[in-house]
PDB file of all heavy atoms in Angstrom:
ATOM      1  N   VAL A1233     -28.012   8.665  -1.046  1.00 99.00           N
ATOM      2  CA  VAL A1233     -26.633   9.049  -1.396  1.00 99.00           C
ATOM      3  C   VAL A1233     -26.550   9.594  -2.820  1.00 99.00           C
ATOM      4  O   VAL A1233     -25.983  10.663  -3.121  1.00 99.00           O
ATOM      5  CB  VAL A1233     -25.655   7.839  -1.213  1.00 99.00           C
ATOM      6  CG1 VAL A1233     -24.280   8.137  -1.801  1.00 99.00           C
ATOM      7  CG2 VAL A1233     -25.530   7.492   0.298  1.00 99.00           C
ATOM      8  N   GLY A1234     -27.219   8.837  -3.747  1.00 98.00           N
ATOM      9  CA  GLY A1234     -27.218   9.299  -5.159  1.00 98.00           C
ATOM     10  C   GLY A1234     -27.907  10.660  -5.308  1.00 98.00           C
ATOM     11  O   GLY A1234     -27.417  11.504  -6.036  1.00 98.00           O
ATOM     12  N   GLU A1235     -28.999  10.816  -4.609  1.00 98.00           N
ATOM     13  CA  GLU A1235     -29.714  12.129  -4.625  1.00 98.00           C
ATOM     14  C   GLU A1235     -28.788  13.270  -4.160  1.00 98.00           C
ATOM     15  O   GLU A1235     -28.766  14.365  -4.772  1.00 98.00           O
ATOM     16  CB  GLU A1235     -31.010  12.045  -3.825  1.00 98.00           C
ATOM     17  CG  GLU A1235     -31.805  13.322  -3.895  1.00 98.00           C
ATOM     18  CD  GLU A1235     -32.998  13.375  -2.936  1.00 98.00           C
ATOM     19  OE1 GLU A1235     -33.551  12.276  -2.611  1.00 98.00           O
ATOM     20  OE2 GLU A1235     -33.316  14.472  -2.469  1.00 98.00           O
ATOM     21  N   ALA A1236     -28.046  12.982  -3.102  1.00 98.00           N
ATOM     22  CA  ALA A1236     -27.175  14.057  -2.562  1.00 98.00           C
ATOM     23  C   ALA A1236     -26.103  14.426  -3.592  1.00 98.00           C
ATOM     24  O   ALA A1236     -25.774  15.620  -3.725  1.00 98.00           O
ATOM     25  CB  ALA A1236     -26.514  13.553  -1.283  1.00 98.00           C
ATOM     26  N   VAL A1237     -25.543  13.446  -4.235  1.00 98.00           N
ATOM     27  CA  VAL A1237     -24.489  13.730  -5.240  1.00 98.00           C
ATOM     28  C   VAL A1237     -25.081  14.611  -6.331  1.00 98.00           C
ATOM     29  O   VAL A1237     -24.483  15.627  -6.753  1.00 98.00           O
ATOM     30  CB  VAL A1237     -23.857  12.446  -5.829  1.00 98.00           C
ATOM     31  CG1 VAL A1237     -22.890  12.749  -6.963  1.00 98.00           C
ATOM     32  CG2 VAL A1237     -23.178  11.625  -4.746  1.00 98.00           C
ATOM     33  N   ARG A1238     -26.289  14.288  -6.790  1.00 98.00           N
ATOM     34  CA  ARG A1238     -26.938  15.107  -7.853  1.00 98.00           C
ATOM     35  C   ARG A1238     -27.217  16.511  -7.383  1.00 98.00           C
ATOM     36  O   ARG A1238     -26.943  17.496  -7.993  1.00 98.00           O
ATOM     37  CB  ARG A1238     -28.168  14.419  -8.378  1.00 98.00           C
ATOM     38  CG  ARG A1238     -27.875  13.199  -9.219  1.00 98.00           C
ATOM     39  CD  ARG A1238     -29.115  12.653  -9.876  1.00 98.00           C
ATOM     40  NE  ARG A1238     -30.085  12.086  -8.952  1.00 98.00           N
ATOM     41  CZ  ARG A1238     -30.005  10.932  -8.357  1.00 98.00           C
ATOM     42  NH1 ARG A1238     -28.952  10.124  -8.601  1.00 98.00           N
ATOM     43  NH2 ARG A1238     -30.953  10.525  -7.477  1.00 98.00           N
ATOM     44  N   ARG A1239     -27.797  16.609  -6.130  1.00 98.00           N
ATOM     45  CA  ARG A1239     -28.140  17.911  -5.592  1.00 98.00           C
ATOM     46  C   ARG A1239     -26.933  18.777  -5.312  1.00 98.00           C
ATOM     47  O   ARG A1239     -26.995  20.011  -5.266  1.00 98.00           O
ATOM     48  CB  ARG A1239     -28.986  17.773  -4.327  1.00 98.00           C
ATOM     49  CG  ARG A1239     -30.473  17.483  -4.651  1.00 98.00           C
ATOM     50  CD  ARG A1239     -31.269  17.069  -3.397  1.00 98.00           C
ATOM     51  NE  ARG A1239     -31.146  17.974  -2.270  1.00 98.00           N
ATOM     52  CZ  ARG A1239     -31.558  17.661  -1.026  1.00 98.00           C
ATOM     53  NH1 ARG A1239     -32.152  16.488  -0.796  1.00 98.00           N
ATOM     54  NH2 ARG A1239     -31.447  18.517  -0.038  1.00 98.00           N
ATOM     55  N   SER A1240     -25.774  18.151  -5.082  1.00 98.00           N
ATOM     56  CA  SER A1240     -24.550  18.921  -4.719  1.00 98.00           C
ATOM     57  C   SER A1240     -24.033  19.775  -5.845  1.00 98.00           C
ATOM     58  O   SER A1240     -23.297  20.726  -5.595  1.00 98.00           O
ATOM     59  CB  SER A1240     -23.433  17.950  -4.260  1.00 98.00           C
ATOM     60  OG  SER A1240     -22.936  17.259  -5.424  1.00 98.00           O
ATOM     61  N   GLY A1241     -24.396  19.360  -7.087  1.00 97.00           N
ATOM     62  CA  GLY A1241     -23.859  20.089  -8.259  1.00 97.00           C
ATOM     63  C   GLY A1241     -22.420  19.648  -8.598  1.00 97.00           C
ATOM     64  O   GLY A1241     -21.881  20.091  -9.543  1.00 97.00           O
ATOM     65  N   LEU A1242     -21.876  18.714  -7.826  1.00 98.00           N
ATOM     66  CA  LEU A1242     -20.554  18.187  -8.163  1.00 98.00           C
ATOM     67  C   LEU A1242     -20.709  17.213  -9.306  1.00 98.00           C
ATOM     68  O   LEU A1242     -21.751  16.578  -9.521  1.00 98.00           O
ATOM     69  CB  LEU A1242     -19.976  17.435  -6.949  1.00 98.00           C
ATOM     70  CG  LEU A1242     -19.671  18.265  -5.699  1.00 98.00           C
ATOM     71  CD1 LEU A1242     -19.498  17.376  -4.466  1.00 98.00           C
ATOM     72  CD2 LEU A1242     -18.400  19.078  -5.965  1.00 98.00           C
ATOM     73  N   ASP A1243     -19.625  17.101 -10.120  1.00 97.00           N
ATOM     74  CA  ASP A1243     -19.612  16.104 -11.118  1.00 97.00           C
ATOM     75  C   ASP A1243     -19.536  14.733 -10.488  1.00 97.00           C
ATOM     76  O   ASP A1243     -18.883  14.618  -9.420  1.00 97.00           O
ATOM     77  CB  ASP A1243     -18.350  16.227 -12.034  1.00 97.00           C
ATOM     78  CG  ASP A1243     -18.444  17.401 -12.952  1.00 97.00           C
ATOM     79  OD1 ASP A1243     -19.550  17.955 -13.131  1.00 97.00           O
ATOM     80  OD2 ASP A1243     -17.384  17.780 -13.504  1.00 97.00           O
ATOM     81  N   ARG A1244     -20.088  13.753 -11.139  1.00 97.00           N
ATOM     82  CA  ARG A1244     -20.019  12.386 -10.576  1.00 97.00           C
ATOM     83  C   ARG A1244     -18.590  12.001 -10.291  1.00 97.00           C
ATOM     84  O   ARG A1244     -18.269  11.339  -9.286  1.00 97.00           O
ATOM     85  CB  ARG A1244     -20.694  11.423 -11.587  1.00 97.00           C
ATOM     86  CG  ARG A1244     -20.404   9.953 -11.398  1.00 97.00           C
ATOM     87  CD  ARG A1244     -21.066   9.440 -10.100  1.00 97.00           C
ATOM     88  NE  ARG A1244     -20.583   8.067  -9.839  1.00 97.00           N
ATOM     89  CZ  ARG A1244     -19.505   7.774  -9.127  1.00 97.00           C
ATOM     90  NH1 ARG A1244     -18.830   8.704  -8.483  1.00 97.00           N
ATOM     91  NH2 ARG A1244     -19.154   6.527  -8.939  1.00 97.00           N
ATOM     92  N   ALA A1245     -17.651  12.379 -11.153  1.00 97.00           N
ATOM     93  CA  ALA A1245     -16.236  11.979 -11.066  1.00 97.00           C
ATOM     94  C   ALA A1245     -15.555  12.573  -9.832  1.00 97.00           C
ATOM     95  O   ALA A1245     -14.479  12.140  -9.423  1.00 97.00           O
ATOM     96  CB  ALA A1245     -15.483  12.372 -12.309  1.00 97.00           C
ATOM     97  N   GLN A1246     -16.182  13.568  -9.216  1.00 97.00           N
ATOM     98  CA  GLN A1246     -15.545  14.219  -8.090  1.00 97.00           C
ATOM     99  C   GLN A1246     -15.850  13.538  -6.779  1.00 97.00           C
ATOM    100  O   GLN A1246     -15.314  13.916  -5.749  1.00 97.00           O
ATOM    101  CB  GLN A1246     -16.023  15.691  -8.015  1.00 97.00           C
ATOM    102  CG  GLN A1246     -15.548  16.513  -9.195  1.00 97.00           C
ATOM    103  CD  GLN A1246     -16.189  17.880  -9.206  1.00 97.00           C
ATOM    104  OE1 GLN A1246     -17.321  18.085  -9.712  1.00 97.00           O
ATOM    105  NE2 GLN A1246     -15.495  18.833  -8.604  1.00 97.00           N
TER     106      GLN A1246
END
Side-chain angles (χ1 to χ4, degrees):
V1233 170
E1235 182 187 330
V1237 174
R1238 288 188 294 281
R1239 279 169 52 192
S1240 73
L1242 294 163
D1243 287 346
R1244 165 67 189 93
Q1246 295 172 274

